[in-house]
């Protein structure tokens, strides 16, 4: 009887303080989780990058009680300001694109450089303020030294006018480099390299040498590399409008061709193989470039592919040009130079070509490539 009475009292008390009990329980659970987690979020460190002088900064000035780890370098501190001076030029107009006759942008939003699509004055100012130095690489091995005089003379007139330039001349005959005066801020740098018996090997080995020198030397001396053939001449301005992370040039023989007509390597056994349903443009092997780091990556990859083919006794149809084309299928260039930047006068003067900036110099292939003592002219 007494037990029944006690049970009824407990039940009564429980129903009276039920809400309080549940509330207390909730508080206990919340408190438990808060205790468990506060250690981790309060003590969380924010890693920030510190500047090259290793300045220590706490972006929140201790307001949140967050400890800042101070062992990294802040690249955001003390960046140079690139600000244009007052410049007067006609404004860009949304409904008046400067060129409607040619493609000026790829599907991956890389600009294709044509006359009329850029303002060189603005670009010059931007690159000058960054004190950009450009390395122009050219190989003149064996008899190709005969092209150097015209190449360098025209480069002095048209290439990167007003900017700092280093002409890196890879040759097996440094004594044959013409003794020329170059403008202030420009310099001829002879680089002695070995030659090879076959012209195809010389052409392909350029990838190996460029990759090696990029890592060993160019990275310390220049910002961008422009890599071209020797049997060429500049015939109009080629300036900083071409510079970008990594750029290629549309081959003048294939600008209007369909994919299937591109002379890509089609043997699936080669590292340069490109299937018939892939590829954007046919790029020429004689004009590409970019930042030293990107050119290093590109040339290293192409050289490794060339060597892999060699181990299978294969040589791609257009040598290093085939490997360059393969590279650009899977590493899209960030800028593309139109055929203005590589033209052959044998192809005439189509309407869309407002300027011919870089031209092939006609040569007697058999004479220049192989027979050491034949007459070159
Ligand atoms: C095309 C490409 C070239 C390359 C080659 C591969 C054009 C304008 N050029 O040129 O970039 O892809 O095909 O087959 O489309 N060289 C020497 N000494 C030699 C041989 C070559 O220095 O004995 C250098 C020189 O810089 C020359 C370059 O290698 O310009 C390419 O050789 P090429 O010009 O004889 O090859 P070509 O005209 O077939």
């Amino acid at each position: 009887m007494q037990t029944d009475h006690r049970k009824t009292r407990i039940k009564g008390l429980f129903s009276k303080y039920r809400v309080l009990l549940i509330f207390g329980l909730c508080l206990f659970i919340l408190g438990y989780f808060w205790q468990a987690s506060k250690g981790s979020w309060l003590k969380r460190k924010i890693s920030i990058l510190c500047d090259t002088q290793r300045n220590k900064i706490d972006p929140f000035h201790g307001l949140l009680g967050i400890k800042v780890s101070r062992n990294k370098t802040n690249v955001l501190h003390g960046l140079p300001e690139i600000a244009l001076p007052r410049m007067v030029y006609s404004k860009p107009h949304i409904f008046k694109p400067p060129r409607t006759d040619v493609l000026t942008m790829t599907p991956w939003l890389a600009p294709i450089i044509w006359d009329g699509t850029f303002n060189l004055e603005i670009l010059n100012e931007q690159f000058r303020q960054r004190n950009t130095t450009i390395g122009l690489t050219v190989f003149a091995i064996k008899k190709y030294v005969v092209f150097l005089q015209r190449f360098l003379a025209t480069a002095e007139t048209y290439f990167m006018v007003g900017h700092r330039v280093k002409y890196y001349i890879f040759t097996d005959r440094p004594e044959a480099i013409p003794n020329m005066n170059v403008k202030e801020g420009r310099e001829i740098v002879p680089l002695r390299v070995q030659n090879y018996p076959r012209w195809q090997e010389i052409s392909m080995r350029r990838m190996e040498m460029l990759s090696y020198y990029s890592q060993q030397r160019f990275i310390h001396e220049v910002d961008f590399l422009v890599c071209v053939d020797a049997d060429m001449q500049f015939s109009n301005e080629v300036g900083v409008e071409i510079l970008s992370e990594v750029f290629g040039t549309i081959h003048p023989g294939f600008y209007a061709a369909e994919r299937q007509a591109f002379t890509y390597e089609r043997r699936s056994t080669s590292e340069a193989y490109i299937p018939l349903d892939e590829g954007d443009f046919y790029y020429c092997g004689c004009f590409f470039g970019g930042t030293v780091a990107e050119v290093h990556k590109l040339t290293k990859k192409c050289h490794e592919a060339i060597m892999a083919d060699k181990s299978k006794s294969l040589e791609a149809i257009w040598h290093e040009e085939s490997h360059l084309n393969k590279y650009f299928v899977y590493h899209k260039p960030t800028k593309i130079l139109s055929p203005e930047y590589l033209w052959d006068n044998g192809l005439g003067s189509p309407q869309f070509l407002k300027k011919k900036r870089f031209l092939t110099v006609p040569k007697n292939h058999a004479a220049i490539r192989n027979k050491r003592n034949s007459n070159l002219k």
Side-chain angles (χ1 to χ4, degrees):
M1 186 68 184
Q2 217 176 358
T3 321
D4 285 352
H5 178 66
R6 199 178 292 149
K7 273 185 188 164
T8 325
R9 262 194 81 191
I10 290 171
K11 264 189 189 168
L13 274 174
F14 181 76
S15 59
K16 197 169 173 188
Y17 296 110
R18 189 174 48 196
V19 178
L20 263 178
L21 273 172
I22 292 171
F23 184 66
L25 194 64
C26 288
L27 267 182
F28 175 77
I29 293 169
L30 275 175
Y32 175 81
F33 281 111
W34 184 74
Q35 273 295 332
S37 65
K38 79 171 183 181
S40 61
W41 74 260
L42 271 184
K43 287 178 194 157
R44 192 186 307 146
K45 287 180 183 176
I46 289 182
S47 278
I48 56 161
L49 298 166
C50 298
D51 71 5
T52 41
Q53 285 84 47
R54 296 188 181 276
N55 286 341
K56 316 284 195 295
I57 53 166
D58 171 357
F60 307 106
H61 307 291
L63 283 179
L64 301 177
I66 296 169
K67 241 178 140 185
V68 176
S69 87
R70 299 176 185 281
N71 57 350
K72 291 199 179 152
T73 318
N74 183 0
V75 288
L76 301 179
H77 191 83
L79 287 175
E81 190 193 348
I82 307 291
L84 293 172
R86 173 180 148 76
M87 297 177 97
V88 179
Y89 53 87
S90 51
K91 95 177 241 314
H93 200 297
I94 289 288
F95 299 111
K96 285 187 201 147
R99 294 291 295 259
T100 50
D101 56 338
V102 285
L103 185 70
T104 58
M105 189 71 84
T106 67
W108 60 94
L109 298 182
I112 305 176
I113 313 303
W114 296 94
D115 190 46
T117 59
F118 57 90
N119 181 329
L120 190 56
E121 236 183 291
I122 301 177
L123 292 168
N124 271 336
E125 194 59 43
Q126 288 176 332
F127 280 88
R128 246 180 243 132
Q129 287 195 30
R130 290 188 172 92
N131 207 14
T132 308
T133 306
I134 302 111
L136 180 63
T137 71
V138 64
F139 286 74
I141 293 174
K142 296 200 279 196
K143 289 190 285 189
Y144 277 66
V145 287
V146 295
F147 295 111
L148 285 176
Q149 175 72 43
R150 185 177 350 195
F151 177 86
L152 288 168
T154 56
E156 276 295 280
T157 312
Y158 295 116
F159 183 73
M160 301 287 165
V161 177
H163 295 275
R164 298 157 58 82
V165 172
K166 282 181 188 285
Y167 298 107
Y168 291 119
I169 303 181
F170 292 80
T171 183
D172 57 337
R173 297 161 64 182
E175 69 287 352
I177 297 176
N179 194 8
M180 281 176 58
N181 286 327
V182 291
K183 294 195 193 98
E184 208 192 321
R186 300 164 85 96
E187 187 190 347
I188 294 178
V189 183
L191 299 170
R192 187 191 279 275
V193 290
Q194 75 174 95
N195 66 38
Y196 290 89
R198 294 171 60 241
W199 70 268
Q200 297 91 332
E201 189 75 17
I202 293 175
S203 192
M204 287 191 293
R205 287 284 176 175
R206 292 186 292 174
M207 291 297 185
E208 179 183 23
M209 296 189 222
L210 286 171
S211 133
Y212 176 79
Y213 274 88
S214 297
Q215 194 173 26
Q216 296 298 315
R217 179 165 185 168
F218 302 154
I219 193 75
H220 306 296
E221 298 186 353
V222 295
D223 303 296
F224 291 93
L225 286 171
V226 177
C227 311
V228 296
D229 274 11
D231 50 336
M232 304 291 301
Q233 62 179 338
F234 293 89
S235 51
N236 213 316
E237 269 175 341
V238 173
V240 292
E241 76 280 2
I242 69 168
L243 301 179
S244 187
E245 234 175 299
V246 57
F247 65 85
T249 307
I250 296 174
H251 195 293
F254 299 92
Y255 59 83
E258 289 303 319
R259 260 183 189 154
Q260 284 75 9
F262 291 163
T263 52
Y264 290 156
E265 174 57 62
R266 301 300 188 186
R267 289 170 295 172
S268 61
T269 43
S270 167
E271 297 292 317
Y273 168 66
I274 301 174
L276 284 169
D277 57 356
E278 286 188 70
D280 307 290
F281 301 100
Y282 188 81
Y283 302 96
C284 83
C286 85
F287 196 165
F288 63 89
T291 58
V292 180
E294 285 301 321
V295 170
H296 173 64
K297 279 196 246 169
L298 178 158
T299 50
K300 184 167 180 281
K301 188 102 180 162
C302 288
H303 171 60
E304 285 167 357
I306 289 168
M307 296 319 275
D309 271 8
K310 212 184 230 319
S311 71
K312 292 181 267 179
S313 304
L314 276 173
E315 194 166 271
I317 180 168
W318 285 104
H319 318 107
E320 83 297 335
E321 184 172 271
S322 305
H323 292 280
L324 178 76
N325 273 280
K326 170 72 176 274
Y327 185 86
F328 280 151
V329 174
Y330 305 111
H331 309 80
K332 304 284 191 212
T334 51
K335 219 175 232 189
I336 292 179
L337 310 186
S338 71
E340 287 175 16
Y341 293 86
L342 173 60
W343 195 252
D344 183 326
N345 271 335
L347 296 169
S349 303
Q351 258 241 297
F352 68 82
L353 204 73
K354 309 284 182 223
K355 281 186 178 156
K356 297 176 185 174
R357 301 171 188 271
F358 196 42
L359 289 173
T360 57
V361 174
K363 64 177 186 279
N364 176 339
H365 284 79
I368 194 98
R369 281 172 173 165
N370 295 318
K371 292 177 223 138
R372 251 200 119 88
N373 298 316
S374 56
N375 182 6
L376 299 174
K377 290 153 201 151

